[in-house]
Amino acid sequence: MSSIDVKNMAGETVSTAELADSVYGIEPNIPVVHKVVVVQAASRRQGTHSTKNRAAVSGGGRKPFRQKGTGRARQGTIRAPQMKGGGVVFGPTPRSHARRANAKEVKLAMRSVLSGKLRDSELFLLDQLTFDAPSTKAARNVLKALGLDDKRVTLVVNDEDVQSYLSFRNLPNVLVIGETEANTEYLIDNGALLMPVEVAKYFEEVLA
């Protein structure tokens, strides 16, 4: 088991949590992490980029000027790619950029990231997050108490914790996600990973 201090919203250490080595104590598999991050980033691409080739642009139907006697190079159509307003050669067409990674690789990548965050002291656990009402000011004070106000933070909250989500979402250096939204890219792309203990235990259950 791996031990980590648990702090409250005032930045005080209140207890210690024991985290399973199978999720938080493995040797990170960097190639798998890289593969999964690339897959997830590529799958978000819309793939709606498009250009018109010479068959799709308007115009043409006759030669723009006579073949001989003008001193210019011969041209057969204004739709040719070398002409202004002509078609694009080998331009992008709508397609899917999606790639695939199997479920074992996805789980291994997330375990690798969580283990790396714990090893590098970039994982921070809270005993709980409680807000009577949404308050960005209170959320900023929590980060300041934890010494994370100058870092890019990914905060993982319980899916039903609406108050915490609304409190942190307007902070420019904070990404707030629900526990079921968490993926490898969100977990690794930060300088500090913050979550309540219950969310850390949730990851133990789903990634074991």
Side-chain angles (χ1 to χ4, degrees):
M1 302 293 281
S2 302
S3 298
I4 182 174
D5 291 337
V6 178
K7 299 185 178 182
N8 59 20
M9 294 174 60
E12 303 166 341
T13 302
V14 293
S15 62
T16 301
E18 298 293 331
L19 302 177
D21 286 338
S22 59
V23 176
Y24 293 91
I26 70 170
E27 181 66 27
N29 191 317
I30 304 303
V32 171
V33 172
H34 176 267
K35 175 183 177 179
V36 172
V37 169
V38 170
V39 167
Q40 292 171 347
S43 298
R44 285 203 312 273
R45 296 182 65 181
Q46 291 181 318
T48 54
H49 40 34
S50 181
T51 57
K52 291 183 178 181
N53 57 23
R54 62 184 296 165
V57 297
S58 61
R62 67 179 179 85
K63 290 170 68 67
F65 46 82
R66 62 196 178 101
Q67 179 87 345
K68 294 178 178 293
T70 65
R72 299 179 61 184
R74 56 190 176 184
Q75 302 293 336
T77 174
I78 61 173
R79 298 193 299 184
Q82 73 272 15
M83 302 291 286
K84 180 180 179 181
V88 177
V89 181
F90 304 133
T93 57
R95 67 186 180 91
S96 172
H97 292 274
R99 302 185 184 187
R100 295 191 61 186
N102 62 52
K104 288 184 178 180
E105 289 177 317
V106 173
K107 288 187 174 182
L108 175 58
M110 291 185 68
R111 291 198 302 268
S112 296
V113 172
L114 292 172
S115 298
K117 289 293 182 182
L118 179 59
R119 183 188 62 185
D120 297 339
S121 301
E122 293 183 351
L123 177 63
F124 300 86
L125 297 188
L126 290 168
D127 58 345
Q128 59 182 351
L129 274 173
T130 53
F131 293 92
D132 297 330
S135 173
T136 302
K137 181 178 180 180
R140 185 182 293 108
N141 290 336
V142 171
L143 294 180
K144 188 174 182 179
L146 295 171
L148 303 178
D149 52 325
D150 61 341
K151 295 180 179 292
R152 285 200 310 119
V153 178
T154 296
L155 172 63
V156 188
V157 299
N158 187 284
D159 287 344
E160 299 176 356
D161 190 358
V162 178
Q163 304 286 20
S164 295
Y165 176 82
L166 295 177
S167 297
F168 282 92
R169 68 174 179 173
N170 286 332
L171 294 175
N173 61 331
V174 178
L175 170 66
V176 190
I177 57 174
E179 56 191 3
T180 56
E181 294 180 86
N183 62 35
T184 304
E185 185 177 8
Y186 288 156
L187 295 180
I188 198 174
D189 187 22
N190 54 71
L193 180 60
L194 177 64
M195 65 184 75
V197 174
E198 61 176 342
V199 174
K201 294 298 182 181
Y202 166 81
F203 286 141
E204 285 186 351
E205 295 177 4
V206 298
L207 298 178

